[in-house]
């Protein structure tokens, strides 16, 4: 199966991105043909500092490599390096009903949050995402739950294109992890963990042990004492149990038994330990990669070449099918 997924370069990779996406990517690359992309053009839908933006994009590449993306198995590239993404996005824009974009919850949330910069890019963001996916005729897209609505649009546009111009694109499947597709904020477990939220609500994948411990100990729970999974009544502790279970590879039921009668502090201390065990090797790898700039550049150049060769062949086909004048 050909797989494509992407991540925006802004903000440090957090355990939500990891458990909902990057960990899954690292597993998929063992069997499938994988392309992973840093979505720098998507990040421009909110304002970015031109002085630091390219460094941010480079840093995200380092983070993905440190978190387990293997350049020998996967194609890793920067979205803006393959110009065909924007070309296909434009063509797909002409097929996209405005109503479909208006109902996108992420657009509604972001337009509200960034009132001073509610731009057209924010509105047509899911169309660029669709172009990212269809350009490679991807069959599966591993993402967290917050992206599922965007992928419904992708399938709709693939179908519409195929009906109008002949069979061209597969309708890609959304590949969600069975657990962890929506890791919640540590401070407000009703909201998803997000890099744009307050620092205490989010654990970075490369954070130092003492920061992690402090954040976990401060995480919102409830007034009861028992460690029990109940999403409706105990969303905070349920979120922590999910994180623990995924990182340690232990079922939630086993954790409930293990911590029976032990209280939140003991559970949280143990979770902080598991988190540190997970992230310590990532931190080490990231530090090492930060000293190997040319090596990382080379990975991106090779990624661009491989991605571009697929993208240009798709676009040749698309231009002809749409009826653009091609010599
Ligand atoms: P982004 O950068 O917001 O997030 C990257 C990936 O992490 C997942 N994720 C989460 N999973 C579980 N719990 C959370 N709290 C959490 N927060 C984030 C996201 O679902 C995502 O899979 N639009 C995309 C990037 C993109 C893309 C694409 C993805 C651009 N083009 C094409 C797939 C295919 C985004 O902003 O992801």
């Amino acid at each position: 199966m050909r797989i494509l997924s992407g991540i925006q370069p802004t903000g440090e990779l957090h355990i939500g991105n990891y458990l909902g996406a990057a960990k899954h990517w690292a597993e998929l690359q063992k069997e499938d043909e994988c392309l992973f992309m840093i979505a720098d053009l998507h990040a421009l839908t909110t304002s970015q500092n031109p002085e630091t933006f390219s460094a941010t994009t480079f840093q995200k590449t380092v983070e993905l490599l440190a978190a387990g993306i293997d350049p020998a198995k996967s194609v890793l590239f920067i979205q803006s390096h393959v110009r065909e993404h924007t070309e296909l996005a434009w063509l797909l824009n002409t097929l996209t009903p405005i109503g479909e974009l208006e109902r996108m919850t992420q657009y509604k949330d972001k337009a509200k949050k960034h009132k001073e910069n509610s731009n057209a890019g924010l509105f047509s963001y899911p169309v660029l995402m669709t172009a990212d996916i269809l350009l490679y005729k991807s069959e599966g897209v591993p993402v967290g739950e917050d992206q599922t609505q965007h992928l419904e649009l992708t399938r709709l546009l693939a179908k519409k294109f195929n009906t109008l111009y002949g069979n061209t694109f597969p309708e890609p499947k959304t590949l969600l992890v069975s657990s962890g597709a929506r890791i919640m904020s540590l401070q407000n477990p009703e909201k998803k963990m997000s890099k744009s939220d307050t620092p205490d609500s989010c654990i970075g994948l490369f954070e130092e042990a003492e920061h992690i411990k402090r954040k976990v100990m401060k995480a919102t729970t409830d007034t009861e004492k028992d460690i029990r999974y109940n999403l409706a009544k105990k969303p905070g502790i349920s979120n922590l149990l999910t994180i623990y279970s995924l990182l340690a590879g232990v079922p939630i039921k086993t954790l409930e038994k293990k911590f029976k009668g032990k209280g939140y502090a003991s559970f949280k201390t143990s979770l902080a330990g598991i988190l540190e065990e997970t992230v310590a090797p990532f931190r080490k790898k990231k530090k090492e990669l930060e000293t190997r700039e040319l090596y990382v550049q080379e990975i991106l150049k090779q990624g661009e070449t491989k991605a571009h060769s697929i993208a240009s062949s798709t676009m040749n086909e698309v231009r002809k099918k749409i009826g653009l004048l091609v010599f």
Side-chain angles (χ1 to χ4, degrees), residues 85-263:
H85 287 251
T86 44
E87 184 183 358
L88 184 57
W90 175 258
L91 299 175
L92 293 172
N93 261 315
T94 66
L95 301 184
T96 309
I98 287 179
E100 289 294 332
L101 297 179
E102 277 170 341
R103 69 184 190 86
M104 293 287 158
T105 52
Q106 218 169 69
Y107 164 67
K108 288 193 259 185
D109 290 350
K110 285 196 181 170
K112 223 188 275 165
K113 201 166 160 193
H114 302 279
K115 274 207 184 84
E116 77 305 337
N117 184 18
S118 177
N119 58 75
L122 209 53
F123 187 60
S124 64
Y125 181 112
V127 183
L128 179 57
M129 236 180 104
T130 296
D132 300 335
I133 296 163
L134 298 188
L135 197 50
Y136 300 95
K137 301 195 175 185
S138 316
E139 297 156 277
V141 187
V143 283
E145 209 175 76
D146 60 345
Q147 300 298 320
T148 51
Q149 200 186 23
H150 294 160
L151 295 191
E152 283 164 24
L153 179 76
T154 300
R155 285 187 286 274
L156 183 126
L157 291 179
K159 205 184 284 172
K160 194 162 178 188
F161 189 100
N162 292 343
T163 308
L164 284 171
Y165 303 115
N167 205 14
T168 310
F169 299 119
E171 287 172 40
K173 289 199 188 80
T174 306
L175 307 178
L176 283 182
V177 283
S178 52
S179 169
R182 191 171 176 84
I183 297 293
M184 309 310 276
S185 151
L186 296 191
Q187 288 298 308
N188 177 0
E190 312 283 332
K191 266 177 34 186
K192 71 164 184 177
M193 182 177 283
S194 160
K195 47 200 161 197
S196 57
D197 210 341
T198 58
D200 279 352
S201 64
C202 176
I203 295 183
L205 204 61
F206 308 96
E207 272 198 71
E208 297 296 335
E210 64 270 31
H211 291 176
I212 295 180
K213 179 141 192 219
R214 192 181 51 78
K215 290 185 186 183
V216 172
M217 298 316 282
K218 275 179 65 181
T220 303
T221 44
D222 51 64
T223 51
E224 292 181 5
K225 286 200 181 74
D226 50 330
I227 291 135
R228 195 164 38 84
Y229 188 90
N230 183 330
L231 218 43
K233 294 203 179 111
K234 297 164 78 68
I237 208 73
S238 302
N239 186 40
L240 298 183
L241 274 165
T242 302
I243 296 171
Y244 197 132
S245 154
L246 290 169
L247 294 179
V250 175
I252 289 182
K253 283 267 165 268
T254 312
L255 294 174
E256 286 173 339
K257 272 188 212 138
K258 180 173 170 191
F259 289 99
K260 197 161 192 235
K262 296 227 172 97

